[in-house]
Amino acid sequence: MFEPDVDLDTTGSYSTADPKTLVLARTSSNHPIGVSLRIASPPAESRVCVHFPQGSQPSRLDNQVIAAHGDSVLIKVSREGGSDKTKDYFVYNAGTAATGSPRPPSLSLLPPYSGYLRNDWTGILRRGEDDLVVACLKIETRKNDDNTPKEHVPEMLMFRSGKWWKIRWARIIGIENDELVYFWSSRVIPVGDNMLCWFCLHRGLIFYIVDDKRLVYKPLPDDPSSAHSGRNVCVTSAGNVVKFVNMFARCCCGGGGASECKHSKNCYAIKTWTLRMDSMTWVLDGMMDCTELWVLDAYKSLPRVRPEFPVVSMDEPHVIIFMVHEKEWWLIMQVDMRSKMLRSVYSYPKAHELKNVCAGKHLLPSKVSYYLNPYPGGTSQIDDTEQPPLGILDKQEAHDASNSKPLQSSSAESGVREILSALQEISMYGLTGDDTKKAISILTHGNGQRFISYLGVPKKLRKDWLLTEINASVG
C-alpha cells in the first residue's frame, strides 16, 4: 500500500535511495530527478521518494502519488512549489524482475498538459506491456447561448498511445446530467484491465469501459451514512472484485444512537459489500461490531476509538486495514472480518507530519512490489551492506537499477542479536520458550521488514503485537 504523500529528498544525491528501485529522468523543463521506492509489507505503508537537485524547494502538495495499477504508479512531480510552477506527470514502471526475462524499472514523462490532473479524478490502467491508459473525468458546466438552463456534462481527458484528447459525453448511463453536480470523486480504481471506476463515497460509482467507451453509473448500497473517513471503495486482485466498506456509529447497549450509548460514544459497526459485476448488484458479505474487537486480548492495550480510512487487502478480500488516531499518534491495524481477529498493529512512523498535511488518508493499494521481487510471494531483498554514493543529480544521467548484492550471512547473525536485544526490552511474562522461538522466526522474515514493523509499534503494545502474530502464524 502506498502513502499518497511522497518523501522528498533535496540533498542532491541518491545516498538514501534503494538502488534496486531507483530510476533517473528529466522533467519537461530539462531538470534531473530521481524516483525510488521504499517497499514495506502491509499493514506498513510503502513510499515513493522523489530525489531533487540540491537547492530545490518542492512542495509536498505538488508531489504526490495519484494512482497505481499493476506494475505502474502515476506520480505528480514539481521541483518548485506554487500554483504557477510546472507540474509534470510521470509513470513509474517496476519492470519485470520476477519473470524469466528481467527488465529494470523505468520512469516515463507523460506528454505536457496545460492544466492539471486532480488527484481524486485521475486514474491509471495498465493493459499489458504496451498499452497504458491515464484518464481524468471531470464534471463540467456547459453554457448555452439560447438562454436554456446550463447543463452539467462529463468531460474525459485521456492519455493513450502517446496523445492527449478530450471526449465530451452526452450522458452517463444510469444517471441524469442534472444530478452530476452533486457527484464528486474521492478516488479512481482500476477494475480488471478494461475498466476504471470513479467513486463518490456518498453518491455512487461511475465505470468507464475502455473498449466500448461507455460510462455507467451504479449507486452505493442503501446503508447508514457515515463520515467520509469511515467508508471506502476498493478492488481486489483475485477476480477483480469491487468492495464497499461502510463503518457507521451505533449503540451497543440498545440506546437510540451512538450519542446515547452508556458504554462508549465511539461504538461502531463495520459492513462490507461486494458488487457482482455480471448483474451489477450489491451483496452484503460481512459485518463486525466494535465489541467483537474490544474483547480480543490483542486489542486490550488499544484505544476504544472509531477507526478511519478503511482499505481492503488486494490479496485477501476479507481483511481490512484501518488507521486509528489517539491524541498525538496514529496506528495502522489489520482486521480479519471472517475470523473476527485483529491480525496486527503497526505504528504510523510519520504521524507528526499529519499536523501539517491532513488528519489521515486512504492508503493506495498496489501490486508493484510483486514485479520488483524476484521471489514471488515474499518481499524484495534488502541490501544492508554499505552502498557507495550514487553521484550528484546534475552530473549523473544513468544508473543500473539491478546492481544489488545478496544479504550476507554476517548481517543475518547481527540481525538475530538485534532481535534478542529488542525482546529483552519487553516483559516476557506469559511467553513460553516456544513462543520466544516463534517470535524470533517471525521477526527474521522479510529480510528485516517484519522487525522494522515491530520496532514501529509502541513499546507497551509490542508484546500484544507479538502474541497476535504468533497466533496468526499458528492458524
Side-chain angles (χ1 to χ4, degrees):
M1 297 185 302
F2 275 113
E3 160 70 38
D5 295 321
V6 306
D7 289 341
L8 302 174
D9 174 22
T10 58
T11 62
S13 72
Y14 304 105
S15 59
T16 62
D18 176 1
K20 297 182 290 298
T21 66
L22 176 64
V23 185
L24 306 185
R26 286 189 173 270
T27 66
S28 59
S29 53
N30 204 35
H31 291 115
I33 65 163
V35 172
S36 64
L37 306 184
R38 295 168 180 173
I39 301 296
S41 299
E45 80 291 349
S46 297
R47 290 177 175 267
V48 170
C49 182
V50 181
H51 306 265
F52 292 96
Q54 192 172 15
S56 302
Q57 297 180 329
S59 164
R60 186 174 297 278
L61 293 178
D62 291 330
N63 294 272
Q64 294 183 323
V65 177
I66 296 180
H69 182 225
D71 58 5
S72 299
V73 182
L74 179 62
I75 309 168
K76 178 173 65 174
V77 174
S78 180
R79 177 175 173 170
E80 307 294 334
S83 58
D84 58 338
K85 302 299 181 181
T86 302
K87 295 176 179 60
D88 290 322
Y89 297 91
F90 287 89
V91 174
Y92 180 97
N93 185 278
T96 55
T99 67
S101 55
R103 175 169 49 86
S106 62
L107 189 64
S108 304
L109 175 65
L110 292 181
Y113 171 54
S114 58
Y116 74 99
L117 304 179
R118 279 185 50 176
N119 296 15
D120 53 352
W121 286 94
T122 306
I124 184 172
L125 188 66
R126 169 62 71 178
R127 312 183 74 209
E129 290 189 13
D130 302 321
D131 194 1
L132 180 75
V133 175
V134 176
C136 178
L137 176 66
K138 298 184 292 183
I139 307 302
E140 298 288 351
T141 301
R142 185 164 60 191
K143 298 180 181 179
N144 300 316
D145 296 330
D146 55 359
N147 295 324
T148 56
K150 296 179 180 179
E151 292 183 281
H152 301 286
V153 295
E155 179 183 274
M156 179 80 76
L157 179 66
M158 180 181 295
F159 165 79
R160 191 177 181 186
S161 302
K163 295 182 180 180
W164 288 102
W165 68 89
K166 290 184 178 180
I167 304 175
R168 288 188 179 272
W169 301 87
R171 64 185 296 267
I172 299 174
I173 299 173
I175 189 172
E176 298 299 327
N177 280 357
D178 57 359
E179 297 181 60
L180 291 175
V181 67
Y182 303 107
F183 189 98
W184 67 94
S185 180
S186 294
R187 186 60 63 182
V188 189
I189 56 175
V191 182
D193 61 357
N194 192 40
M195 285 189 290
L196 284 170
C197 173
W198 285 259
F199 60 86
C200 170
L201 290 174
H202 293 284
R203 297 290 295 178
L205 295 73
I206 295 177
F207 289 93
Y208 171 58
I209 306 171
V210 176
D211 285 341
D212 59 10
K213 299 180 180 180
R214 285 189 299 136
L215 287 168
V216 179
Y217 172 76
K218 175 65 183 178
L220 289 172
D222 185 13
D223 211 31
S225 181
S226 62
H228 175 93
S229 62
R231 45 176 52 194
N232 198 11
V233 176
C234 303
V235 64
T236 69
S237 58
N240 304 312
V241 178
V242 176
K243 302 277 291 188
F244 170 56
V245 182
N246 186 30
M247 184 166 47
F248 53 93
R250 64 170 300 279
C251 175
C252 68
C253 56
S259 60
E260 301 178 14
C261 185
K262 300 176 182 179
H263 185 72
S264 171
K265 292 184 179 180
N266 288 311
C267 286
Y268 60 90
I270 307 167
K271 284 185 179 180
T272 58
W273 301 74
T274 295
L275 180 62
R276 289 182 175 172
M277 301 303 296
D278 53 350
S279 60
M280 294 297 284
T281 56
W282 290 104
V283 177
L284 179 65
D285 59 6
M287 185 171 180
M288 188 173 187
D289 192 82
C290 60
T291 54
E292 296 179 89
L293 271 177
W294 293 348
V295 298
L296 299 176
D297 289 338
Y299 199 94
K300 62 183 179 182
S301 299
L302 299 177
R304 291 189 175 186
V305 297
R306 197 175 304 161
E308 299 177 281
F309 307 103
V311 176
V312 177
S313 168
M314 295 190 73
D315 295 320
E316 300 176 283
H318 56 279
V319 174
I320 307 177
I321 298 167
F322 297 93
M323 298 187 76
V324 180
H325 179 219
E326 172 71 354
K327 296 181 180 179
E328 298 297 323
W329 50 272
W330 288 74
L331 296 175
I332 299 177
M333 69 179 189
Q334 197 173 33
V335 177
D336 191 324
M337 294 285 291
R338 186 167 60 190
S339 63
K340 306 296 178 71
M341 294 292 292
L342 178 60
R343 281 199 176 184
S344 61
V345 179
Y346 174 73
S347 179
Y348 192 81
K350 294 196 174 185
H352 63 281
E353 292 184 1
L354 296 177
K355 297 178 182 178
N356 301 321
V357 182
C358 64
K361 63 205 74 179
H362 287 110
L363 300 176
L364 303 179
S366 170
K367 296 183 72 69
V368 166
S369 61
Y370 285 52
Y371 298 87
L372 292 168
N373 183 12
Y375 306 103
T379 56
S380 58
Q381 283 189 304
I382 297 175
D383 181 7
D384 69 347
T385 59
E386 184 176 355
Q387 294 291 332
L390 299 179
I392 304 301
L393 272 161
D394 278 314
K395 297 180 180 179
Q396 183 161 329
E397 296 299 326
H399 171 64
D400 181 1
S402 62
N403 63 345
S404 58
K405 301 177 182 179
L407 192 67
Q408 303 296 320
S409 59
S410 59
S411 299
E413 294 171 1
S414 175
V416 173
R417 288 196 297 270
E418 291 183 19
I419 290 172
L420 287 172
S421 176
L423 289 177
Q424 291 175 358
E425 296 178 357
I426 67 172
S427 170
M428 301 302 288
Y429 178 77
L431 289 175
T432 65
D434 286 341
D435 286 341
T436 302
K437 292 177 182 179
K438 292 175 183 177
I440 294 174
S441 176
I442 289 170
L443 296 178
T444 53
H445 284 171
N447 293 294
Q449 286 298 319
R450 298 297 298 277
F451 185 47
I452 293 173
S453 298
Y454 170 78
L455 294 179
V457 177
K459 285 187 178 180
K460 68 177 182 178
L461 303 179
R462 289 180 183 177
K463 182 177 177 181
D464 292 331
W465 185 92
L466 279 175
L467 288 172
T468 302
E469 294 298 309
I470 290 171
N471 291 336
S473 66
V474 173

